[in-house]
Amino acid sequence: MLIILLCPMVCHSQTTELQAIFSKLDKNSDGKLSLVEAIGLKAEGRQRGDYFTSDLDENGTLSPDEYELFHNIGNLKKRSSIPDPIQEHFEKTVQHVLKLTQKNLDQNSGVQLDLWETTFAKNWWGSLYKEFDKDESGRLTEEEIRHGFSVAFGIHDHDGIPLRFENGTRFDWRHHFVAGDTNADGTLDKQEFEKLIGAYRPELKERSLASDVNGDGIYSCEELIAVPFHSRDPLAVFRKLDATEDGALDQAEIATLPAWQQGYIPWVLRAFDSNQNQKLSLTEFLRSPLAIPYLDWSQPMTDLNQDGVLTLDEFHPGRDWQFLGISAIYFSLLDTNNDQRLNLSEFRFKVEPENVHFEDFFDFLDVDANDEISFAEFFPAENSKESSGPIFVSHQHLFERADRNGSGTLSREEFDSTPQLFQAYQLERQLRSTYIVKFQKLDIDKDAHLSFEEISQNSQPRHREALRYVFNLVDANADGVHDFNEFMCYEGRSNSAIRGPIEDPVTYLIQSILLNVLPSEADPVTYEHARKELAKRIPNMPVDKIVLWDRNSDQKLSLTELRIGLEDHFGVWHPSGLQLRKPNGTLFAYRSFQQFDTNSDQQLSEAELKKGSGKSKAANHKLFASLDRNGNGMIELLELENGTLFWSDLLSLFQKYDQNQDLKISESELKAASKPWEQPLVKRTLKAFDKDNDQHLSFLEFRSTPFANLAATWVEAKDLDFDGRLSRKEFTSAFPNVAQGEANWMFSNFDLDDNHFLNRQEYPLSLDTRKIPAEIVFEILDQNQDQQLTIEEAAGERPEGQLALARYDSKIMRIEDAWRHADNDGNRTLSFSEFIQHQANLLAAIHGTKLPQSSLHTPSPPQIPPTVSENIVPEQINNTDWRIVGLIGFNVLILITIIFLMVRPKSAFQRGNDEG
């Protein structure tokens, strides 16, 4: 009690002493101290910074109260007070509420629920009636109102324990009851507390453990507050950050915040710089979360309801309504358009890409507010030690593609039409904040590469072999270590969204062409030069259209313009803006989309989706609604960008084929995993794409094949002029416009003899032998080129599968009937003259069709060509043999009858016999 009585005397004595010092320093007796009067002629160093810090009204001089703060700024025991903007806000809010409810309080009836909710329906505290009503009486007293707001503004905790002190210190609630309370029960038990103070110095640890005064093993807020170093001094934090000692914090000084507060850097200056001088004064700082150690407002908030904006409830990081008033202050300051929600231009938060309004995101990136996004704004440096720019070069290419006029910046229209930019931006941030750090941590020998031992050091032994396979698969240069790009392929082995660039033969082809077309990367070329060089290297290239590649209309083509034009030509991008071949190794199965899109309008109706997917009406409707993002009743190609429908992952596809995991695909593996309609391609594909002639397909070779290029099925081409072979034009005309460049490239790979035609040995031709000249038909059927035709050669390759074999055997029987009439010399083979005399009958037997009347006429045999260069396998025709169908149907009927007799219910008589 004596100490309490003496305190006012001590404070009065201290005040009197300070007044005397102030008067002595105030040389001109104007009631305020200039910088020179306060600290002398050598106004520099820490004292100078403290002078400007204490100048709360920023008028260049110190009043007596400001001088008191200056004099005791580093002395917590003597410092009497510092400004408290949150306390002021608390008082104003309480007075406002009491004023509106005073009538009820005067009548001692208290404030009832309906009045509270009606009066404060639009206020954040309108829904907190039950929380404020401590005694659960159904009436709020003035004391309860004050207590409720005191908790919400962090003046006291729920039990009335003060959290803010007159000398400016604040209890560090965030450290103790947010970070330390690991089980989120609102208390700190001994185990949690010991873990929390594990890094403390021994003497501090001992004092901290002694905080549990009542010895119950629980460290309460009241007990912890009694130990001074459990609180934080925001004024000390401010002085530490003020490196320039000018009494204010600029952006560079704020950027030196510790790691756990880095999330404040982008927005704290913008939100709390009330006088807009690009600095935070002490008063502005004390209002900010940098000075309030209660919650972590720097953590990434999440758009929980996925509406693309943040509400106050989503913004508030607390577990309950405690400190909600402080969150409401910050929310209001960030909500610049006062619409009671935060968009991405106002505050950065976690949100799914499809839920973001691109207009908001554009404003978020447009730092200088000039309505354009520069390269540096889109790829900013995270700190002063880094340079701006992308980590993945594919993201730079994406930015350049979006820049349609070649200006070097993105307009709002250019940005809005390229939704892939959002994912690229988010991934770049993720790479810098997470994966570069992880790479450096794993890199034990610091050689900027990761060996398998380094990359798998934290993996369980039972997973190592599977991980080693993936490690070797994505090791593009096969040097046994991973650079960062390869590491990101490894990290994204099961998550293509973060995966690095996978080697792509189309990308390599484009790079090779560019090296030959451009003498120098820096110097653009004329149209004429580009036409000449491209025509040499790309068959059927529509070189006259390259003028459309000139984005900036300078009558020349730059490296970027040529690359974008070639990407479009080779089907990397669809005209709609959908990227069909992504750098991460995922491909859009355009051929599957075309099968769904029955009216070929490049979009899917709900009926088309249902017919293609085979789902129930309800399931299909749900799927359709999730894909129709703009709600126009159609699924446009670009709306399929972020889903899984029609997308295929080539890493997974390769592993599906590579059953023995030797990093290459054999013919048997290719055949085993292929679809039935792909089987004719297997042998021909291995011959065409096995560039190193090892009888296997590596990952890069596999990526070149029809099995890994999903723009088309690659078996639709037909011999339109009936010459028994395919020209380049016949081959490419079978495929969609978006696949024309790819089709020409595919043709060149299949054309093994480089004669500009594909024969049956090179490609599985679809031929109608009834329309092809007889000599070509004979040449096609005569597989071993011995000028004699056997029944087996006429019937074609023996298929697999029971039904297919039944058809094949029926076909053999038909051919044998026709064969006996044609085989004049009885040697069971047909010469060309024998074949030509009975051609109609033989072809009718081969195709399983009725003999046309015109076939009764036997044409005179033409001369056999002097040379036969192609060994061609006949096409297997799937015409229906109704005799076989009838036989199968009869057998099925017998089988059903037997099953019925076996499973039908037994009579009582039969059951009795069984039991006996």
Side-chain angles (χ1 to χ4, degrees), residues 193-207:
F193 192 66
E194 286 179 343
K195 183 177 180 181
L196 184 69
I197 65 175
Y200 284 15
R201 297 195 306 271
E203 63 273 18
L204 294 182
K205 187 180 296 186
E206 185 178 349
R207 288 179 62 190

Side-chain angles (χ1 to χ4, degrees), residues 765-781:
L765 299 183
S766 177
L767 300 175
D768 188 344
T769 53
R770 292 164 294 186
K771 296 182 179 181
I772 299 173
E775 63 272 18
I776 298 178
V777 174
F778 187 86
E779 179 185 329
I780 291 171
L781 297 176

Side-chain angles (χ1 to χ4, degrees), residues 26 42 191 223 279 360 419 436 440 448 477 485 515 519 711 766:
D26 184 17
K42 293 185 178 181
Q191 183 179 1
E223 290 172 327
K279 293 183 178 182
D360 297 338
I436 288 180
Q440 293 170 344
N477 57 5
N485 278 356
L515 287 174
S766 177

Side-chain angles (χ1 to χ4, degrees), residues 206-226:
E206 185 178 349
R207 288 179 62 190
S208 294
L209 289 171
S211 301
D212 182 18
V213 178
N214 61 11
D216 63 353
I218 301 296
Y219 291 82
S220 67
C221 178
E222 184 177 12
E223 290 172 327
L224 293 173
I225 281 177

Side-chain angles (χ1 to χ4, degrees), residues 640-660:
L640 296 167
E641 171 74 33
N642 297 317
T644 57
L645 187 64
F646 302 120
W647 288 97
S648 180
D649 182 2
L650 287 186
L651 272 186
S652 300
L653 185 63
F654 183 86
Q655 293 175 64
K656 169 189 168 185
Y657 281 93
D658 184 19
Q659 290 298 305
N660 63 1

